[in-house]
Amino acid sequence: MLGIARIPPLLLAYVSYAMVAAWFCWPVAADPTHLALGHPGNDVGNHVWGYAWVAASLLAGELPTHTALLSWPAGGSLWFIDLFDVVLTLPVNVLWGPVAAYNAANLFNFWFAGVGAERLGRRVSGSAPGGWLAGLCFMATPQLLGQAYNGISETLAVGWLPFALAALVDVLEGPTVKRGAVAGALQAVATLFNWYYGLFAGIFGIILAVRAWSDARSGNGPTLRTFVAPVATAAGVFLAIAAPPFSLFAASMSADDALVTRDPDFVWKTLILHNMTDLMALLHPGRFYSPDLKLVFGEDLIVVVYVGYALLIPAAIGAWTARVRGPGRVWLSAAAVFALFALGPFLYFRGDYVQAVGGWVPLPFLALFKWFPMFSRISHAYRFVVGLSLALSVLAALSVRGVRHRGGDVAFYVGIVAALRLFETTCASSAVFPLVTTVVSPPAVLAQLEGGAVLDLPVGVPILARSRFLIDQLAHRQPVPFGLNEPTPKVLFYNRYTQYLLELERSQVTLLGERRPLLDLELGRASLVDMGMRWIVVHKADYPASQLPKVLRFLDLTATVTHDGDGLRIYRLDSAVASVLPAAEN
């Protein structure tokens, strides 16, 4: 015990966060180069693919803004959404591969969420135990575990947000040019790691700036004139760092060959029909999902917005303790703003939109969506729960100061709250724990595919589950017609051969018909070969048992079988195959 007492408290805090982060990520410890954190039916494959693609581009001295590996035959413009985590873990990627880098980024981001919130909580509360509690509460946000389950790795990069806010608090309480430069740089970094969190930092900044303006007007803070140079410096540094990458990102989204777009009409439909935030889900413990994406859409994604009473109660204590001439009011205001934004454009409660006066009850998010371009690109309002959780974590830090002022046992209080927070998040929230993993180990035979594009069948697997085809691409490294989370590629509709494969896949008829447009099929097959398609990989387990034989029969007649095993049947498309002609039926 004497040895522990000599360890600096900040180091102890960082070690404790590392232990919690390792606990969260423990399911991949058995094989971190082949087990990726997250459900195999979600975005894991897409993100692991992105880690491989970006790393390969950077090591080749290229900007990762366009790829020919997706959306064959043309490829397309793409900004990988987790690009800066790939940069951060590039040494891991080089040494142990993209799966290890993806896992390392998740581990680091869980840990760094605690480190960042500790810095902010300690800065606001002036209490080391309060800072530690803020870090623990924030890194244990149920939504972070939910997003790890979903495989949406960029949303775990939350640690930069509280660091940026701590720097902003420094500027507002003691404005200097140096502090302004640091605040601008950290704001830019938070933005680059996740565009949402850059927006969140801006919203927090407005709320804190209003408080600083009020203090200046009342004579309780620095005068407004002293902020001019620091704020101008912060803005200049922010733009210098964030503007070039953002311009590349915007160009990739607006390009004619963009693989990912944010059309406002699509975003709007997604926002109100798929990504709703149920007010009940914010407060309902246990496995309560609303909307239940598995039930409604057959998806394995989960929407986790539960806040947790182990955070709400100490946050309420902190808000009450610091309500008079303290920071409690401003952080309570921030929590209220983010809670309101998290609910989205209309009030949704118990699985349905609340109606009044002949329509859905509108919320402030709706006006911002209509009036501000940044909000019109937001398809996941529930991610504002991150800002809500951060504000509540700061209030929890302030509660420690109140306990100390009343002569309470700070260590006991902090320990109990931390234990309850971890228990509630892992055992009593809507987050899945322990986290599941995705096996990233493509069959070795796929590495033998070369010389042309690969079509994976069936096409009709759920769009997110199709990401495992990109896992297979890590082995064969050939172009595929699929993009990222898109419907059926148009090129498959425009070719008669692939169109017929789609018809076979979607038809309820179990036998291959005797009458087929043989000439059209041969011309379509020849066209595919001329365009550069070389391989068709049938994932047999993904077909209904009654549908698989007719697909295999057709492919047996029109392509050359090169492998049948590992759950796969692989065909090669050759320059000429006479078997599509009637004589081949004999």
Side-chain angles (χ1 to χ4, degrees):
M1 293 297 294
L2 184 60
I4 294 178
R6 292 176 178 173
I7 300 176
L10 194 58
L11 179 58
L12 283 176
Y14 290 174
V15 170
S16 67
Y17 298 152
M19 293 172 64
V20 174
W23 181 38
F24 288 170
C25 299
W26 189 253
V28 303
D31 190 359
T33 61
H34 293 98
L35 293 177
L37 205 64
H39 192 284
N42 292 335
D43 255 341
V44 177
N46 291 338
H47 282 70
V48 171
W49 176 90
Y51 273 70
W53 169 63
V54 171
S57 297
L58 293 176
L59 293 173
E62 303 171 354
L63 274 178
T65 56
H66 189 280
T67 179
L69 293 173
L70 304 179
S71 292
W72 173 89
S77 298
L78 175 65
W79 175 276
F80 181 55
I81 198 63
D82 203 11
L83 186 146
F84 285 92
D85 268 328
V86 181
V87 174
L88 186 67
T89 58
L90 191 58
V92 178
N93 211 322
V94 171
L95 293 173
W96 295 289
V99 179
Y102 168 85
N103 289 327
N106 287 335
L107 177 65
F108 172 81
N109 283 326
F110 271 122
W111 173 77
F112 200 59
V115 171
E118 189 280 336
R119 168 75 176 94
L120 178 61
R122 178 163 44 88
R123 178 65 181 81
V124 173
S125 69
S127 164
W132 179 82
L133 182 61
L136 190 285
C137 286
F138 186 55
M139 73 179 297
T141 297
Q143 185 173 110
L144 298 183
L145 282 177
Q147 294 294 66
Y149 176 90
N150 291 336
I152 307 176
S153 56
E154 77 277 4
T155 58
L156 300 186
V158 294
W160 301 101
L161 174 59
F163 262 113
L165 297 184
L168 180 59
V169 171
D170 287 340
V171 172
L172 295 178
E173 294 187 0
T176 66
V177 170
K178 180 179 179 180
R179 287 182 172 183
V182 172
L186 287 173
Q187 166 87 17
V189 172
T191 301
L192 294 179
F193 271 85
N194 190 293
W195 306 121
Y196 275 88
Y197 301 153
L199 175 62
F200 294 176
I203 294 172
F204 272 114
I206 292 172
I207 296 170
L208 293 171
V210 169
R211 168 63 187 272
W213 175 81
S214 176
D215 287 346
R217 290 286 301 271
S218 62
N220 294 320
T223 62
L224 295 178
R225 182 178 299 176
T226 61
F227 287 110
V228 174
V231 170
T233 302
V237 171
F238 172 80
L239 290 174
I241 297 174
F246 184 79
S247 65
L248 292 174
F249 165 72
S252 75
M253 298 275 282
S254 60
D256 292 337
D257 62 350
L259 296 183
V260 177
T261 61
R262 276 293 180 266
D263 173 67
D265 184 58
F266 171 79
V267 170
W268 175 250
K269 291 177 180 177
T270 303
L271 187 63
I272 65 172
L273 300 177
H274 186 276
N275 296 333
M276 305 84 79
T277 304
D278 195 320
L279 176 60
M280 176 65 73
L282 286 170
L283 303 172
H284 195 298
R287 297 292 176 84
F288 178 78
Y289 302 111
S290 181
D292 188 332
L293 300 180
K294 184 70 171 180
L295 178 65
V296 179
F297 298 103
E299 298 176 355
D300 290 302
L301 290 171
I302 57 174
V303 177
V304 178
V305 296
Y306 182 64
V307 177
Y309 293 97
L311 177 59
L312 284 169
I313 293 173
I317 295 172
W320 178 259
T321 300
R323 69 191 183 281
V324 180
R325 297 183 64 82
R329 185 175 299 176
V330 68
W331 291 100
L332 182 61
S333 299
V337 168
F338 276 91
L340 199 57
F341 285 162
L343 294 175
F346 300 102
L347 183 59
Y348 191 82
F349 185 68
R350 289 184 176 273
D352 200 1
Y353 284 106
V354 178
Q355 297 202 26
V357 197
W360 295 345
V361 175
L363 297 174
F365 187 99
L366 177 62
L368 294 174
F369 187 92
K370 299 293 186 182
W371 296 341
F372 291 93
M374 283 294 292
F375 271 78
S376 67
R377 298 296 187 268
I378 294 176
S379 57
H380 300 80
Y382 61 76
R383 290 186 184 175
F384 280 84
V385 168
V386 166
L388 168 61
S389 298
L390 180 57
L392 293 176
S393 297
V394 173
L395 289 171
L398 292 171
S399 74
V400 175
R401 191 170 68 177
V403 170
R404 174 178 285 117
H405 287 170
R406 286 167 174 75
D409 188 332
V410 170
F412 178 78
Y413 171 78
V414 168
I416 289 296
V417 172
L420 289 174
R421 176 64 168 169
L422 288 174
F423 172 80
E424 185 176 37
T425 294
T426 57
C427 300
S429 77
S430 50
V432 174
F433 191 83
L435 288 167
V436 298
T437 61
T438 296
V439 178
V440 183
S441 185
V445 66
L446 294 175
Q448 301 174 17
L449 306 186
E450 57 184 19
V454 176
L455 172 62
D456 291 276
L457 297 177
V459 175
V461 297
I463 292 177
L464 285 175
R466 201 187 286 162
S467 67
R468 64 177 176 271
F469 296 162
L470 297 189
I471 290 177
D472 289 347
Q473 193 189 60
L474 298 178
H476 62 66
R477 302 180 185 276
Q478 302 301 312
V480 298
F482 302 108
L484 293 175
N485 297 340
E486 68 167 353
T488 304
K490 293 180 180 179
V491 67
L492 301 184
F493 286 119
Y494 296 154
N495 182 280
R496 189 65 185 99
Y497 184 85
T498 52
Q499 187 184 80
Y500 191 73
L501 281 170
L502 292 176
E503 291 171 1
L504 290 177
E505 184 177 312
R506 296 169 181 178
S507 170
Q508 298 301 311
V509 178
T510 58
L511 298 177
L512 184 63
E514 294 184 2
R515 293 181 175 273
R516 297 186 295 279
L518 300 176
L519 181 59
D520 287 350
L521 292 176
E522 169 57 17
L523 291 175
R525 191 200 59 77
S527 175
L528 284 177
V529 173
D530 290 343
M531 292 169 63
M533 180 167 284
R534 183 66 168 166
W535 306 97
I536 295 178
V537 178
V538 178
H539 300 256
K540 293 188 286 187
D542 292 323
Y543 275 99
S546 60
Q547 301 296 310
L548 180 61
K550 65 180 180 182
V551 174
L552 296 182
R553 173 62 175 158
F554 173 71
L555 290 172
D556 286 345
L557 292 171
T558 59
T560 303
V561 179
T562 64
H563 177 80
D564 193 0
D566 306 305
L568 307 174
R569 191 171 176 91
I570 300 177
Y571 294 88
R572 186 181 67 243
L573 293 175
D574 296 314
S575 298
V577 176
S579 57
V580 295
L581 299 176
E585 296 292 327
N586 298 326

